[in-house]
Amino acid sequence: MTQPISMVPYASLPLAKRPNANTFQLATAHPDSLSIRFQGNQLSQGLTATQRAYLDQVHTELQRYSVDDVKAWDEAKAPPIALLNRLADLGTYVTAVPVPDLSQADNQKAVAAMLQNPDIQKALGSDKLQRYQRLLQQGGNSPQAKSVLAQLGKDGHSKITALGAIEMAKTLGVGVATFLGVNSGLAAEPIAKIGTDAQKAFYLNGINRGLFTTAFGLTESTVGSDPRSVKSTFKAETDASGKTVYRLNIDKRFIGNAARVVDSHGTVIHPGADFIAVFAVDNPKAPPSQRSYRFFMVPRALIGEEHITTSGGKYQKMGLKVVNNGNIKANDVIVPEIFMLGDPTQPPKALNAYPKLMALLDETRLLVGAMSLGQAEGILETAFQYAQKRQQNGHAIQDFQGVIFPLLKLRAKAAAGRLLVMDDAQQIDEAAAAKADPKSNRFGLFTSMAKLFNSELAEDSAKQAINTLGGAGFMEDPQDSLGLAMRYRDSKVLTIYEGTSNIQRNLIGAGVLMAEQEKAKQNPLHGINMLASSNGFVSTLKQYVHPSRIQKIDAAYDYVVANLAFALKHEFEAIQQIWQSGGTPAVYQGWADQKDIQRQQRMESLLPVQSKLFILADIAVYRKLAQLAEARLDVLSHQGRLGEVDRQQQADLELFLDIANDEVAKALVEFNGNAIQRLETNYRATEHPSV
């Protein structure tokens, strides 16, 4: 291996002098490297001993199941309850949020009071009530499990949850990871962020030990990526005994873990979620600023089994069949106050769940990105192994460039995608450790990048893997397709739920422009280092003797941002006036929290340039990934002799920088169309603002 040049920044080295510059040659020179060798978590730098031990434990449990087991769950349309129970028995099932210690007196007293409530007792039923009482008497988890959970929390919930999601999706597929994630991540988040101490202790310990399962009820028939438009409603009332109750009208669709699962003989395999976290609004017709939103942990029994149906009916779903999605339509559901998340004595503004929901979705979107990455890694590992074994014309098909090069490019993208997931997780964990205000620490821009890039990577990997297997990949029999047919069907949903790819591009493109505006509050065009002209792009590159790949990507990014900023100059000035009149909130607040009519006008102003925003989003994603790859390569270049895993990562990231440069160049060509040419003509005819 070429020795790195000491203390020389990696980006400044000419490509020919960089270690392992010929990435295709390096990857194909070592046949063993073709077995993907993601090595699980070895490529995740900075893990503590507790994190590694926990992930090893999860890996051991997942290895008990084969592709045949997953295929059986898929065919039966049954969730992996046995796996959930095994993980719950370990006492460390929920890692996404802190799980209150039931051996502490305050938590014991709070949960005991909850268990004495008649409404809670009715919701649990006698069997689960008795199990929970025994758990309370035992003081909750074992000392070892408590210690692990406590240390994982100190090490960072987001990082360990992301790594766990990667491992689950890689080993058993995204269907299994989604089902488990609905309980341990998605439904647990509103409890942790909104619930009272008693509610956190009760629900999170119950979920962690598998005493009951939950579902997250947000999506509706006309509401997906705009939660403020929910039509499910709540209304506070007083019952005959003088107690406060809430009347809910619920209309939800595609809710994971909501539907009951029954086999062909009519036997109930899984009863569905015991509690459904329903997001509802008091008055959907009121202006958004005057609406109040709440989360209710609605017991299944209160909704009624007749009001919960399987999504898709007899036609079911295209994929993700191990997740029992359900539709819920029920009117006049009377819900006791104890099931509303939050302290009812707080003022209405403090109880409004919408801001915390948005912060919650910023974080859970990262988990979809992590699951997508795991799905891609599992798919590629299978494809590489097949390419090693499958013979054609006396050669393993891995010897043919047409077979192996596309897989190598996807593996390089996966290496970069992992860096993005870990970087996002670290940012979220650092903000949590600092107890930062959620409103000023929104991670939507970055987690959208992880979700967008890795979900499309999973879909592309599935497509290429099927092509690698040929006819065998088209078979449903796992002995032929090695489970790839199922993974192919399941991968599509990753680009849909938690916001489609187009929604993510819209968020990223708009977010990037808003971030540039935040940098230049006095004038939207200040701080942008490019003139909105093709000459600006060329002149920027000319300042470098040999522009690096990163410098080319930066120049393209600046060029596109400047073009769009000029096109939206008047809209930015209007936003600036709004900000100045009401202070200067965080970027996302300025975009989403103003009066509805102003927000609508801003969104409409983006419609004529939405396709350009999408291009900006793609460039911004590759720019972020390239920056992370370059930083990691800098570290590797100064480590001296590298081990096999590090050498492969170095080769993959080198290849990724070439890929990123090519993808940004293509995007730039697409961006610089006739409409932009006309814009440039108009721009040159006007007085240039100072930049």
Side-chain angles (χ1 to χ4, degrees):
M1 171 184 152
T2 306
Q3 290 299 314
I5 300 175
S6 177
M7 301 307 293
V8 176
Y10 209 82
S12 67
L13 292 177
L15 183 60
K17 292 186 178 181
R18 295 187 181 188
N20 304 323
N22 192 336
T23 48
F24 274 141
Q25 182 179 359
L26 175 80
T28 55
H30 303 281
D32 288 344
S33 72
L34 296 182
S35 62
I36 205 69
R37 292 199 180 280
F38 285 110
Q39 294 297 324
N41 307 303
Q42 291 187 37
L43 294 185
S44 304
Q45 293 76 32
L47 294 188
T48 66
T50 303
Q51 288 174 327
R52 290 187 181 278
Y54 170 75
L55 290 171
D56 287 343
Q57 185 181 59
V58 170
H59 180 77
T60 299
E61 291 301 321
L62 297 179
Q63 291 300 314
R64 297 175 183 271
Y65 303 92
S66 67
V67 65
D68 293 313
D69 294 315
V70 181
K71 182 62 178 175
W73 294 331
D74 183 76
E75 290 179 346
K77 303 178 181 65
I81 298 298
L83 173 58
L84 185 153
N85 289 335
R86 282 196 63 87
L87 294 174
D89 287 342
L90 297 175
T92 53
Y93 173 51
V94 174
T95 58
V97 296
V99 179
D101 185 352
L102 281 185
S103 64
Q104 294 182 359
D106 289 346
N107 291 330
Q108 275 199 348
K109 184 177 179 181
V111 172
M114 293 281 285
L115 294 177
Q116 290 172 5
N117 184 286
D119 296 315
I120 293 290
Q121 293 178 350
K122 188 182 300 184
L124 290 178
S126 60
D127 179 60
K128 291 179 180 177
L129 176 61
Q130 291 175 11
R131 289 172 57 197
Y132 210 139
Q133 289 170 337
R134 287 196 296 270
L135 178 65
L136 189 61
Q137 291 171 358
Q138 296 166 3
N141 282 327
S142 67
Q144 181 181 6
K146 292 175 187 176
S147 175
V148 170
L149 281 175
Q151 188 59 48
L152 288 176
K154 294 176 183 177
D155 296 340
H157 286 291
S158 293
K159 179 181 284 187
I160 195 62
T161 306
L163 289 169
I166 292 171
E167 185 69 25
M168 288 181 184
K170 176 186 173 183
T171 306
L172 297 182
V174 73
V176 173
T178 298
F179 173 75
L180 297 173
V182 165
N183 275 282
S184 64
L186 196 57
E189 287 283 357
I191 298 169
K193 284 185 166 55
I194 302 171
T196 64
D197 289 343
Q199 289 171 334
K200 293 174 187 178
F202 170 73
Y203 287 113
L204 294 176
N205 276 285
I207 296 170
N208 185 54
R209 294 309 304 270
L211 297 178
F212 46 73
T213 63
T214 57
F216 185 76
L218 177 60
T219 304
E220 298 181 0
S221 57
T222 58
V223 177
S225 300
D226 184 14
R228 296 204 309 175
S229 300
V230 293
K231 301 298 189 294
S232 295
T233 61
F234 72 89
K235 181 181 179 182
E237 298 179 353
T238 303
D239 66 8
S241 65
K243 295 180 179 179
T244 299
V245 296
Y246 293 89
R247 184 181 299 272
L248 269 63
N249 292 310
I250 307 170
D251 189 0
K252 302 291 182 180
R253 298 185 73 193
F254 312 142
I255 308 304
N257 195 34
R260 172 178 286 183
V261 182
V262 181
D263 66 15
S264 58
H265 303 290
T267 303
V268 176
I269 300 175
H270 175 49
D274 299 283
F275 295 94
I276 299 171
V278 174
F279 186 68
V281 63
D282 60 344
N283 182 4
K285 296 181 180 180
S289 60
Q290 299 177 24
R291 299 175 196 168
S292 182
Y293 299 85
R294 308 282 173 84
F295 263 109
F296 298 86
M297 296 299 295
V298 184
R300 186 181 196 86
L302 291 183
I303 297 174
E305 204 61 48
E306 68 276 16
H307 299 300
I308 305 175
T309 57
T310 300
S311 297
K314 66 179 182 179
Y315 298 104
Q316 291 289 313
K317 306 189 297 284
M318 167 184 164
L320 211 70
K321 295 182 180 181
V322 301
V323 181
N324 47 318
N325 294 83
N327 299 341
I328 307 169
K329 189 172 181 59
N331 293 325
D332 299 322
V333 179
I334 303 302
V335 179
E337 189 174 54
I338 195 170
F339 296 113
M340 184 193 76
L341 288 182
D343 183 354
T345 64
Q346 293 292 311
K349 186 175 181 180
L351 281 173
N352 187 12
Y354 180 77
K356 291 183 179 180
L357 169 70
M358 299 308 292
L360 176 161
L361 293 176
D362 284 348
E363 297 181 21
T364 57
R365 199 176 295 130
L366 171 63
L367 297 184
V368 180
M371 287 192 296
S372 300
L373 175 64
Q375 179 82 339
E377 288 186 352
I379 289 168
L380 291 173
E381 187 172 75
T382 300
F384 271 103
Q385 290 171 350
Y386 182 86
Q388 284 182 305
K389 297 176 181 178
R390 175 72 163 89
Q391 296 286 316
Q392 184 70 39
N393 297 328
H395 292 272
I397 62 173
Q398 71 174 21
D399 296 339
F400 299 101
Q401 293 181 352
V403 172
I404 206 62
F405 278 16
L407 294 178
L408 289 171
K409 291 176 70 175
L410 290 166
R411 187 178 73 181
K413 288 185 175 183
R418 182 177 277 262
L419 293 178
L420 181 56
V421 169
M422 291 298 98
D423 185 69
D424 287 353
Q426 183 172 338
Q427 289 187 54
I428 295 173
D429 285 335
E430 287 176 354
K435 295 181 169 51
D437 181 1
K439 290 184 179 180
S440 63
N441 285 275
R442 295 292 305 276
F443 306 99
L445 180 63
F446 305 110
T447 57
S448 285
M449 290 182 176
K451 199 271 187 186
L452 172 64
F453 182 80
N454 286 326
S455 64
E456 295 194 342
L457 172 63
E459 190 175 12
D460 292 344
S461 298
K463 179 181 177 181
Q464 190 59 46
I466 293 291
N467 289 341
T468 302
L469 268 67
F474 198 67
M475 299 294 106
E476 287 288 351
D477 187 340
Q479 298 304 316
D480 292 321
S481 70
L482 308 177
L484 289 181
M486 177 178 59
R487 288 207 187 230
Y488 183 86
R489 287 186 280 104
D490 288 352
S491 294
K492 181 59 195 174
V493 77
L494 293 166
T495 65
I496 298 174
Y497 66 16
E498 290 271 351
T500 65
S501 289
N502 279 351
I503 289 294
Q504 304 308 324
R505 286 187 169 90
N506 207 58
L507 287 170
I508 295 166
V512 165
L513 287 180
M514 292 301 294
E516 293 295 342
Q517 206 276 352
E518 172 70 4
K519 294 176 185 177
K521 299 183 182 72
Q522 301 305 313
N523 186 323
L525 292 182
H526 279 181
I528 296 174
N529 299 320
M530 292 289 298
L531 294 179
S533 70
S534 57
N535 290 335
F537 175 67
V538 174
S539 63
T540 297
L541 290 183
K542 283 183 177 179
Q543 65 180 296
Y544 306 111
V545 178
H546 297 290
S548 69
R549 292 166 291 187
I550 290 289
Q551 289 165 343
K552 291 178 182 178
I553 291 171
D554 283 343
Y557 172 84
D558 287 342
Y559 166 66
V560 172
V561 167
N563 264 291
L564 286 172
F566 182 77
L568 299 170
K569 180 175 183 291
H570 298 298
E571 284 75 11
F572 276 141
E573 289 174 346
I575 295 170
Q576 176 187 333
Q577 293 174 3
I578 294 171
W579 284 15
Q580 289 176 341
S581 64
T584 307
V587 172
Y588 261 72
Q589 276 188 278
W591 191 257
D593 291 350
Q594 299 294 335
K595 293 181 180 179
D596 188 55
I597 186 171
Q598 294 168 331
R599 175 176 179 269
Q600 187 65 30
Q601 288 173 346
R602 289 199 300 276
M603 296 305 292
E604 288 177 357
S605 72
L606 293 177
L607 291 179
V609 294
Q610 190 174 58
S611 63
K612 306 298 182 184
L613 275 179
F614 284 11
I615 295 172
L616 171 59
D618 287 334
I619 292 175
V621 171
Y622 274 105
R623 180 174 180 254
K624 175 68 173 177
L625 288 161
Q627 290 171 343
L628 293 171
E630 195 82 4
R632 178 60 183 160
L633 286 170
D634 266 330
V635 172
L636 292 174
S637 69
H638 293 96
Q639 282 187 2
R641 185 172 182 82
L642 301 178
E644 181 184 355
V645 173
D646 284 339
R647 283 192 292 113
Q648 181 185 295
Q649 187 188 31
Q650 187 181 52
D652 286 340
L653 293 179
E654 269 289 356
L655 175 55
F656 176 77
L657 287 177
D658 288 337
I659 294 169
N661 200 62
D662 290 344
E663 292 296 330
V664 169
K666 292 176 187 176
L668 194 60
V669 170
E670 183 181 357
F671 182 88
N672 195 15
N674 291 332
I676 295 300
Q677 293 291 350
R678 289 195 297 272
L679 172 64
E680 290 170 358
T681 301
N682 294 335
Y683 181 86
R684 295 190 190 99
T686 63
E687 180 180 355
H688 289 190
S690 59
V691 295

